[in-house]
């Protein structure tokens, strides 16, 4: 019997993400009467860096609609946002970069980011630097909207789910190569314990199903069944297909 392999050891809860230096959870405003029926104006106070996140954050201050006080929210900054900019949130907000609207109010082809998966969850999709989704079409009778996600997948969401107009700031981050191990070290130091990662074929048979042999080779199919025992589960788990995507992709429009 071999050793307990890496993916068994790290699937527990002890390798937590390094959130100690994070500024604040990046979320949209809580969905309230003002956003459902009209709009509310906020002002961008500062644009800040969040450790471990590629995209910058924007501190946006709103006046509380019910009490005499200010409410500070932390949004994911969209490209083109600046300190002192006004941000409008709500059903009646204008279609302008940085504003937050329900997707049912957005015309087809609009570029959006930080989209709610379910109305009121405060933003879940297309949140990484330079990413965006596209509104494909609306279905008025059941108040649903279809969007194309950054992965190319299409998804149907509620028309009441909100989205920020524009693309996430900080794009082009992966165009520059890391070049040296030190940069990768510091990148993942801020994120989580996920680096360096030893290849399975470089290990001994006791440490990994792909280990051993006189040359570094897997020696068996790299695909493995979904119901395989935990110690065997390494490689391409329950893959429907493997290899390069050949030929042109037929995109079926809705």
């Amino acid at each position: 019997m071999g050793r307990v392999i890496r993916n068994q050891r790290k699937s527990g809860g002890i390798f937590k993400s390094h959130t100690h230096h994070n500024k604040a959870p990046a979320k949209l405003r809580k969905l309230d009467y003002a956003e459902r029926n009209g709009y509310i104006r906020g002002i961008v106070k500062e644009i800040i860096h969040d450790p471990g996140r590629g995209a910058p954050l924007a501190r946006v201050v709103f006046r509380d609609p019910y009490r005499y006080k200010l409410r500070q929210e932390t949004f994911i900054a969209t490209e083109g946002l600046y300190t002192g900019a006004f941000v409008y949130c709500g059903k009646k907000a204008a279609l302008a970069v940085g504003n937050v609207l329900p997707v049912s109010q957005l015309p087809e082809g609009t570029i959006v980011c930080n989209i709610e998966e379910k109305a009121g969850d405060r933003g879940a999709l297309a949140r990484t630097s330079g990413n965006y989704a596209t509104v494909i079409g609306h279905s008025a009778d059941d108040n649903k909207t279809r969007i194309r996600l950054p992965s190319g997948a299409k998804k149907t969401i509620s028309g009441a789910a909100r989205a920020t107009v524009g693309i996430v700031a900080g794009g082009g981050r992966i165009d520059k190569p890391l070049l040296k191990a030190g940069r990768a070290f510091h990148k993942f130091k801020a994120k989580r314990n996920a680096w360096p990662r030893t290849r399975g074929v470089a290990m001994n048979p006791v440490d990994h199903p792909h280990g051993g042999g006189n040359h570094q080779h897997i020696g068996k199919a790299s695909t493995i069944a979904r119901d395989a025992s935990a110690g065997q589960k390494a490689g391409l788990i329950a893959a429907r297909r493997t290899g390069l995507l050949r030929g042109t992709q037929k995109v079926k429009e809705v």
Side-chain angles (χ1 to χ4, degrees), residues 149-213:
L149 299 174
S151 64
K154 295 188 182 66
K155 187 173 178 70
T156 305
I157 57 172
S158 161
R162 296 167 296 167
T164 310
V165 180
I167 75 169
V168 183
R173 176 170 53 84
I174 55 173
D175 296 348
K176 180 186 176 188
L178 288 170
L179 280 180
K180 56 183 196 170
R183 292 200 185 132
F185 170 82
H186 289 293
K187 174 186 171 177
F188 284 100
K189 185 166 183 255
K191 287 180 183 285
R192 72 201 77 84
N193 179 6
W195 186 91
R197 189 174 179 86
T198 307
R199 291 166 301 130
V201 289
M203 298 183 190
N204 290 326
V206 71
D207 295 311
H208 198 276
H210 296 168

Side-chain angles (χ1 to χ4, degrees), residues 47 54-56 76-81 113 127-131 167-172:
I47 302 220
I76 291 175
T78 47
E79 202 163 282
L81 219 56
C113 63
R127 289 161 57 96
T128 53
S129 52
N131 262 2
I167 75 169
V168 183

